[in-house]
Amino acid sequence: MQYSVQELLWFFIVYSFLGWIISTAATAFREKKFVDVGFLYGPFCPAYGFGAVLFAVFLVELKTRPFFLFLGGAILSAVTALLTGIVLERMFHRKWWDYSRKRFHFGGYINLPYTVVWGLSAILCTHVINPFLCRILSCISSRISAILLIIIYAVTVIDLTGSITGIIAVNSRIHKLFIIEGLSENLQKAADFMGQGVTGWVLKHFEKAYPNLNIKEFLAARREQKKQLERQKNTPVVFGEGCSFYKLASIFFIGSFLGDIVETIFCYLTTGRLMSRSSVVYGPFSIVWGLGCSIATALLYQYRNRSDRYLFTCGLLMGGAYEYICSVFTELVFGTVFWDYSKFRFNLGGRINLLFCLFWGIAAVVWMKMLYPFLSRFIEKIPKKNGVIITRILLVFMAFDITVSGIALIRYSDRHSSQSGEIQESVISTVLDEHFPDERMEKIYPNAILRKK
């Protein structure tokens, strides 16, 4: 079964609240005192709600296959925790949680025991909690449910706005500490300098909830970072150095192009047919490959010197999960299935299969050990000014290309999914029908399977 949008909105709220209760209780038990671990002022932990929604959207098909449901929940939760941790660290230049001292961790953001718990939680949510919540929601009229959601989300948005405003103000105040000579790094004096308003409350709240956000250490780290930047002023500027935004953007474009070429050649060798493998209507670009290369680079960059076995295992698990998620996403959004492995042995819902998961593992090793180092050196040789301009132009073009392709696919699906043959007409639909008729769409997406709505 597929959950309605209203049910998913409720899932987010309920699980965010339950996650706050569980996290706060666990921290209180460990610290022997009450500690509000929520990111927001209210009793909500959005990461839990977001994770629950991901379970409901992407794992519902695995309800009858407990092992894969567990595995999917573990992988989705790990990816969610990893991305959340990276984003927060980029914002604050500090980790909000750190499992580096624990065994079986990945980057300090996730560790095996918690991942196992999340996998079991996916089974519990899918088989017990979600059906229970749906039964409760069925007892509430749709109108009352909608009104309650509007009120709750309005309050949540206000809460989120206040929290983000406080964070921005805190960052601004902390930055001023660098230009005020002789100001003590003592946390209490820093709080006094910031005042007892919103920024002071946010600072104290974060300091209690997340001990890793030690302000004294944070200031020291920022000061050291500033010194390093000053030392680098006289050194040559390198475009896309390290694992920066421009490096990942460049990898995305290169990976999209090479992925399309590789798939085209592979299809020709295996089927004898020369067909389009592009994801977009303009240009030979495979978005799945481009995103896969960028995500793999971002996640595995710090582990690029690890053993081939380690990279192979990471690639196998992450590649399989990534391909499964992409398959579900494209079917839900565009009503189209771009690949179907139902005829392969050891497949999972026709979305992934064991053989191609092994290919993902091999690809991870080849990419991180051979292709990425070569491409990285090539990208860093591009003059920074030219590289920035070219990357921005390509980003605008790709955003336009993806948007037009998505709209054209939705219209293509609508033309074939209508039971009565009557579809809504508008100026935009007329333009789409004229520029992207069935013949052109079938040529661009020859293997696309349309699902009836």
Side-chain angles (χ1 to χ4, degrees):
M1 61 171 291
Q2 295 292 344
Y3 297 103
S4 66
V5 174
Q6 194 172 89
E7 288 172 334
L8 293 177
L9 291 174
W10 274 113
F11 286 174
F12 179 83
I13 292 296
V14 172
Y15 282 103
S16 295
F17 177 67
L18 292 177
W20 177 85
I21 292 177
I22 294 173
S23 298
T24 302
T27 304
F29 178 79
R30 184 174 62 251
E31 302 293 335
K32 308 302 180 184
K33 62 180 180 180
F34 175 78
V35 178
D36 184 357
V37 299
F39 174 78
L40 304 177
Y41 299 126
F44 293 103
C45 284
Y48 289 91
F50 185 66
V53 171
L54 289 179
F55 290 168
V57 172
F58 293 107
L59 303 181
V60 65
E61 295 179 351
L62 305 178
K63 187 174 182 179
T64 59
R65 309 181 75 170
F67 173 76
F68 290 104
L69 179 59
F70 164 81
L71 189 61
I75 293 175
L76 275 180
S77 63
V79 172
T80 302
L82 182 63
L83 295 179
T84 303
I86 291 175
V87 170
L88 291 175
E89 184 177 3
R90 290 295 179 90
M91 291 174 61
F92 290 93
H93 304 280
R94 295 287 294 172
K95 285 187 176 181
W96 284 49
W97 60 86
D98 191 357
Y99 300 129
S100 299
R101 297 182 180 180
K102 298 181 180 294
R103 297 184 63 186
F104 309 113
H105 72 88
F106 187 88
Y109 299 107
I110 56 179
N111 76 322
L112 185 59
Y114 288 158
T115 302
V116 171
V117 171
W118 272 99
L120 296 174
S121 299
I123 298 176
L124 179 65
C125 292
T126 304
H127 285 276
V128 180
I129 301 179
N130 288 354
F132 175 72
L133 291 176
C134 289
R135 286 195 294 271
I136 294 178
L137 293 175
S138 65
C139 299
I140 305 174
S141 69
S142 179
R143 184 174 182 179
I144 294 178
S145 177
I147 294 174
L148 291 175
L149 283 174
I150 292 173
I151 295 174
I152 294 173
Y153 273 92
V155 174
T156 303
V157 169
I158 294 173
D159 192 350
L160 179 63
T161 303
S163 299
I164 293 177
T165 302
I167 291 171
I168 295 174
V170 167
N171 279 335
S172 177
R173 294 291 187 176
I174 290 177
H175 178 71
K176 291 180 181 179
L177 293 177
F178 292 113
I179 61 175
I180 299 180
E181 187 176 357
L183 185 63
S184 172
E185 292 180 353
N186 182 273
L187 177 61
Q188 183 59 47
K189 290 185 178 181
D192 292 340
F193 173 78
M194 293 176 188
Q196 300 301 320
V198 174
T199 60
W201 189 92
V202 171
L203 179 61
K204 293 179 180 179
H205 172 67
F206 288 161
E207 179 69 18
K208 290 180 180 179
Y210 301 93
N212 286 317
L213 292 179
N214 184 284
I215 302 302
K216 187 175 181 178
E217 294 181 4
F218 176 74
L219 293 173
R222 287 291 294 270
R223 183 172 286 105
E224 180 61 27
Q225 184 183 37
K226 184 179 179 181
K227 291 180 180 178
Q228 291 179 359
L229 291 175
E230 291 177 352
R231 288 195 296 266
Q232 295 173 357
K233 284 183 178 179
N234 297 324
T235 59
V237 178
V238 178
F239 171 70
E241 187 175 7
C243 191
S244 63
F245 168 77
Y246 287 106
K247 173 67 70 61
L248 294 177
S250 301
I251 291 295
F252 167 75
F253 296 123
I254 296 174
S256 297
F257 176 75
L258 292 180
D260 181 83
I261 300 300
V262 170
E263 279 209 39
T264 301
I265 295 174
F266 179 79
C267 288
Y268 179 76
L269 294 176
T270 55
T271 65
R273 296 175 55 199
L274 194 62
M275 66 180 74
S276 169
R277 302 302 298 167
S278 177
S279 303
V280 289
V281 294
Y282 299 117
F285 301 106
S286 176
I287 304 303
V288 173
W289 278 88
L291 284 177
C293 291
S294 296
I295 294 173
T297 302
L299 297 181
L300 298 178
Y301 178 77
Q302 59 182 323
Y303 301 103
R304 62 191 182 280
N305 296 322
R306 296 290 292 268
S307 66
D308 293 351
R309 182 182 302 176
Y310 184 89
L311 293 175
F312 174 83
T313 303
C314 291
L316 184 149
L317 294 175
M318 293 191 300
Y322 173 70
E323 190 172 17
Y324 188 94
I325 291 172
C326 287
S327 176
V328 175
F329 177 81
T330 54
E331 183 174 355
L332 289 176
V333 176
F334 305 117
T336 305
V337 177
F338 290 97
W339 57 84
D340 186 359
Y341 302 136
S342 299
K343 296 181 180 180
F344 285 76
R345 297 185 63 184
F346 308 111
N347 75 84
L348 187 59
R351 302 188 186 280
I352 59 175
N353 69 83
L354 180 59
L355 177 61
F356 281 21
C357 286
L358 294 175
F359 286 165
W360 280 107
I362 296 172
V365 178
V366 174
W367 176 256
M368 297 308 300
K369 294 291 187 179
M370 299 174 59
L371 296 179
Y372 171 74
F374 171 77
L375 293 174
S376 177
R377 290 191 296 269
F378 171 77
I379 293 170
E380 291 177 0
K381 290 181 181 179
I382 301 174
K384 183 175 182 179
K385 184 176 181 180
N386 295 339
V388 170
I389 294 175
I390 294 173
T391 302
R392 290 178 178 176
I393 292 174
L394 287 176
L395 284 173
V396 173
F397 165 74
M398 191 60 73
F400 170 79
D401 200 359
I402 292 174
T403 301
V404 173
S405 301
I407 297 174
L409 274 170
I410 293 174
R411 179 61 179 176
Y412 175 53
S413 177
D414 288 342
R415 289 199 297 263
H416 288 263
S417 62
S418 177
Q419 299 292 336
S420 61
E422 297 180 359
I423 56 176
Q424 294 182 350
E425 299 291 344
S426 65
V427 176
I428 296 178
S429 63
T430 302
V431 173
L432 291 172
D433 293 341
E434 179 181 349
H435 288 82
F436 302 102
D438 291 351
E439 295 78 10
R440 183 178 181 182
M441 297 300 290
E442 289 168 2
K443 185 177 180 180
I444 298 174
Y445 307 107
N447 290 333
I449 302 173
L450 300 176
R451 301 296 193 193
K452 290 187 177 182
K453 298 180 180 179

